[in-house]
Amino acid sequence: HTSLLRQAHGGSGGIAAFASMLKTAIFLLKGKPSPALYEATAVCTAAMPSPTVDAEGGWRQDIKADGHSLLEPESFAVINRWPVREGREADFEAKMEASRTNRDSGAPPGLKVRTLMRRAGLRVDDGFMHSTLSVWNSETSFSAWRASVPRADAIREMMAEGIISGPPSPLFFEGLLCLESNAGP
């Protein structure tokens, strides 16, 4: 275990190896990191059942930790980073708002919450000024929606209209030990 710990934290070269690793990290960062702040718009929440988890005093009573077993995921979160073309931000936001308000059958099955987020402040160099954060009951629910024809058609339409330069770039997360309220986010 000790040798793995050393490898994970820069090897066994002592302070000189650590200083070298730190110098490399600073070079790669090209200065101090800058935060990405967002403004949330177009929040869409699904009707959520009453929470079934007892969180008396803020602590989960239903978790049995044995030190070996992994906890089962309780939700699946996705951040889609959208490559919106410069000057088309208002068109993109209008399309996202329309998709939220014009759903004939309500939220997709398994969706708990979704929000459109716009970067606040200065433009950044990664090209992603807009993101959507969605939380789902499971990865299976998300995958079914992701494979749906209406979703694919909406992305193709925005690309054809020159609103976005390509499909969204997703980041995936599993939610463990989730505390939820039927009052919403």
Side-chain angles (χ1 to χ4, degrees):
H1 295 304
T2 306
S3 65
L4 292 175
L5 184 62
R6 282 188 196 138
Q7 288 176 2
H9 295 284
S12 59
I15 192 72
F18 176 76
S20 175
M21 180 187 66
L22 187 59
K23 178 181 164 189
T24 302
I26 290 171
F27 174 76
L28 292 174
L29 286 175
K30 297 178 185 172
K32 65 180 183 176
S34 59
L37 305 174
Y38 291 88
E39 298 170 322
T41 65
V43 176
C44 171
T45 58
M48 292 178 55
S50 296
T52 58
V53 174
D54 178 21
E56 184 178 323
W59 293 98
R60 294 281 297 270
Q61 308 300 316
D62 62 327
I63 302 299
K64 305 295 184 237
D66 62 11
H68 301 286
S69 304
L70 295 177
L71 298 174
E72 290 294 320
E74 297 176 342
S75 66
F76 188 73
V78 181
I79 297 176
N80 275 318
R81 300 174 308 149
W82 293 86
V84 179
R85 292 188 187 272
E86 193 166 341
R88 302 300 306 267
E89 295 87 351
D91 297 329
F92 175 76
E93 291 176 16
K95 288 270 189 188
M96 295 301 280
E97 177 65 21
S99 74
R100 180 182 75 86
T101 57
N102 292 336
R103 284 203 175 100
D104 296 324
S105 59
L111 177 68
K112 294 181 179 189
V113 64
R114 183 191 77 174
T115 187
L116 174 62
M117 301 181 300
R118 176 189 330 111
R119 282 250 174 106
L122 301 174
R123 283 206 169 270
V124 292
D125 58 359
D126 68 0
F128 296 106
M129 290 297 293
H130 289 81
S131 297
T132 50
L133 167 65
S134 58
V135 180
W136 299 80
N137 287 335
S138 66
E139 184 175 359
T140 304
S141 297
F142 167 74
S143 295
W145 171 79
R146 187 179 195 195
S148 70
V149 172
R151 177 190 176 271
D153 288 347
I155 290 172
R156 277 194 291 275
E157 180 181 313
M158 286 193 287
M159 289 173 63
E161 293 175 6
I163 296 173
I164 59 175
S165 61
S169 173
L171 303 169
F172 305 110
F173 305 91
E174 288 184 332
L176 303 174
L177 299 176
C178 300
L179 294 177
E180 298 173 342
S181 167
N182 58 355

